[in-house]
Amino acid sequence: MVETAQQENSMGQLDIRPIAGALGAEIHGIDLSQELDDETIAEVRQALLDHLVIFFRGQDITPARHLDFARRFGEIVEYPLVKGLEGYPEIMTVVKLEHEKVNFGGLWHSDTTYLEQPPLGSILLARELPPFGGDTLFANMYLAYETLSDGMKALLGPLKGVSTSNLQRVSDTRSERMKDAAKVTPREVLTATHPVVRTHPETNRKALYVNGAHTCRFDGMTEEESAPLLAYLYAHQTRPEFTCRFRWEPGSIAFWDNRCTQHNPINDYHGHKRVMHRITIAGDTPE
Ligand code: OGA
Ligand code: MN
């Protein structure tokens, strides 16, 4: 049996409803179009730490309010590869158009681990949705670590993983957006080396920190040598019982902690449009 990560909400004002055993909770009883007091923000932050990804519904807020809310959790960072929304460079649009076949980030990943300081998290707001499909999966990387054997934990403990921005399988998912709004030349490659097991800076819990979109090898080893163990970890870390699945509605928001989760937007709505607005919060150096 896998232990669940959900915890009781002890503080009180927010109505927090877990959506799965592993991670994820909807937060009701909050209106993000209004300025929020520090206490409420602290409760939201605690809910994020407890549930790893939190969801809000019916929050059809303006880009300016979306930004104000995000700024309460840290400094905003722009996505390194694709330009932002007209007039709001800090807001990135995550779009799939009717005629397109690939969706942005359409595989299991943690965001931009090829940076020295990958984000704390992102706040993604649904603007336009397909009539069906386009759900997003999330996975709990604390559980992925905790369910490994003591032998595997000991093996992984000292290892570092190298992340790169140019693995073909993820570059393919960015191709449509890079056509019109690339910030870097496609050949520019970003790489960073991080611990395979990181300790979350706020919860002090250990999380498995490799991902199939960006990690290309273990530091000090070749790609060929690394591939079998990485393949095992990629399969293990996305076991269904470590995941939750979020069904979007216009005005839904997902706020994920990128330090201890991965996500995977499902590409099952060809012929329909999906438009999301994303704001990303700066993180620290993984340790
Ligand atoms: C992202 C991403 C998820 C989605 O914005 O980082 O992976 O549901 N998108 O579109
Ligand atoms: Mn992503």
Side-chain angles (χ1 to χ4, degrees):
M1 264 298 280
V2 169
E3 278 177 44
T4 70
Q6 305 289 2
Q7 290 168 22
E8 292 297 315
N9 168 35
S10 54
M11 286 192 284
Q13 294 308 307
L14 301 176
D15 174 8
I16 300 177
R17 307 177 194 167
I19 69 162
L23 79 168
E26 288 193 12
I27 300 189
H28 293 261
I30 185 168
D31 178 0
L32 303 187
S33 71
Q34 305 299 311
E35 186 90 24
L36 298 168
D37 58 31
D38 290 346
E39 222 170 280
T40 306
I41 293 292
E43 274 192 56
V44 171
R45 194 172 185 108
Q46 190 58 48
L48 180 69
L49 295 177
D50 291 345
H51 298 279
L52 292 60
V53 54
I54 51 179
F55 308 103
F56 304 91
R57 298 232 179 241
Q59 308 283 348
D60 194 18
I61 55 176
T62 62
R65 276 299 313 155
H66 188 189
L67 265 173
D68 284 346
F69 178 64
R71 285 204 178 95
R72 303 293 293 276
F73 298 94
E75 191 192 319
I76 307 308
V77 286
E78 292 180 23
Y79 182 72
L81 307 181
V82 181
K83 287 189 194 126
L85 191 67
E86 190 80 52
Y88 295 93
E90 308 99 324
I91 301 181
M92 177 194 175
T93 54
V94 175
V95 180
K96 182 176 178 243
L97 300 175
E98 287 88 339
H99 65 275
E100 293 177 349
K101 283 287 179 272
V102 298
N103 66 332
F104 181 84
L107 73 180
W108 278 110
H109 65 281
S110 174
D111 287 331
T112 58
T113 60
Y114 46 78
L115 300 177
E116 289 302 328
Q117 299 201 316
L120 176 156
S122 281
I123 303 179
L124 189 68
L125 168 54
R127 294 295 186 187
E128 276 185 69
L129 292 169
F132 55 81
D135 296 359
T136 304
L137 303 169
F138 295 87
N140 179 335
M141 291 304 108
Y142 297 134
L143 270 181
Y145 175 73
E146 289 161 7
T147 50
L148 294 169
S149 65
D150 290 344
M152 182 59 81
K153 286 179 187 156
L155 175 71
L156 297 180
L159 295 183
K160 292 187 183 232
V162 179
S163 284
T164 170
S165 61
N166 74 339
L167 286 187
Q168 195 57 48
R169 51 186 180 270
V170 66
S171 299
D172 288 346
T173 79
R174 295 194 290 252
S175 56
E176 297 288 354
R177 299 285 76 74
M178 300 284 284
K179 272 185 205 157
D180 39 281
K183 265 195 199 165
V184 299
T185 61
R187 255 185 286 162
E188 198 175 323
V189 178
L190 305 170
T191 63
T193 301
H194 300 301
V196 167
V197 179
R198 78 177 287 187
T199 302
H200 192 288
E202 295 181 78
T203 65
N204 282 318
R205 296 177 68 191
K206 288 184 178 180
L208 186 58
Y209 200 59
V210 293
N211 73 95
H214 306 312
T215 309
C216 59
R217 61 186 175 83
F218 296 111
D219 192 28
M221 298 188 206
T222 65
E223 291 187 17
E224 290 73 16
E225 288 168 338
S226 309
L229 181 50
L230 285 176
Y232 168 75
L233 294 173
Y234 299 154
H236 168 77
Q237 67 191 172
T238 55
R239 277 165 50 183
E241 63 271 36
F242 302 160
T243 72
C244 70
R245 176 173 180 147
F246 186 59
R247 173 88 192 114
W248 298 90
E249 296 163 350
S252 295
I253 287 177
F255 182 178
W256 64 86
D257 187 333
N258 196 55
R259 303 165 294 187
C260 56
T261 63
Q262 291 191 33
H263 53 279
N264 183 353
I266 301 172
N267 191 9
D268 62 350
Y269 52 96
H270 293 326
H272 300 286
K273 188 176 178 186
R274 182 176 182 270
V275 180
M276 320 289 276
H277 283 181
R278 171 178 137 175
I279 301 179
T280 298
I281 299 158
D284 57 3
T285 305
E287 283 175 6

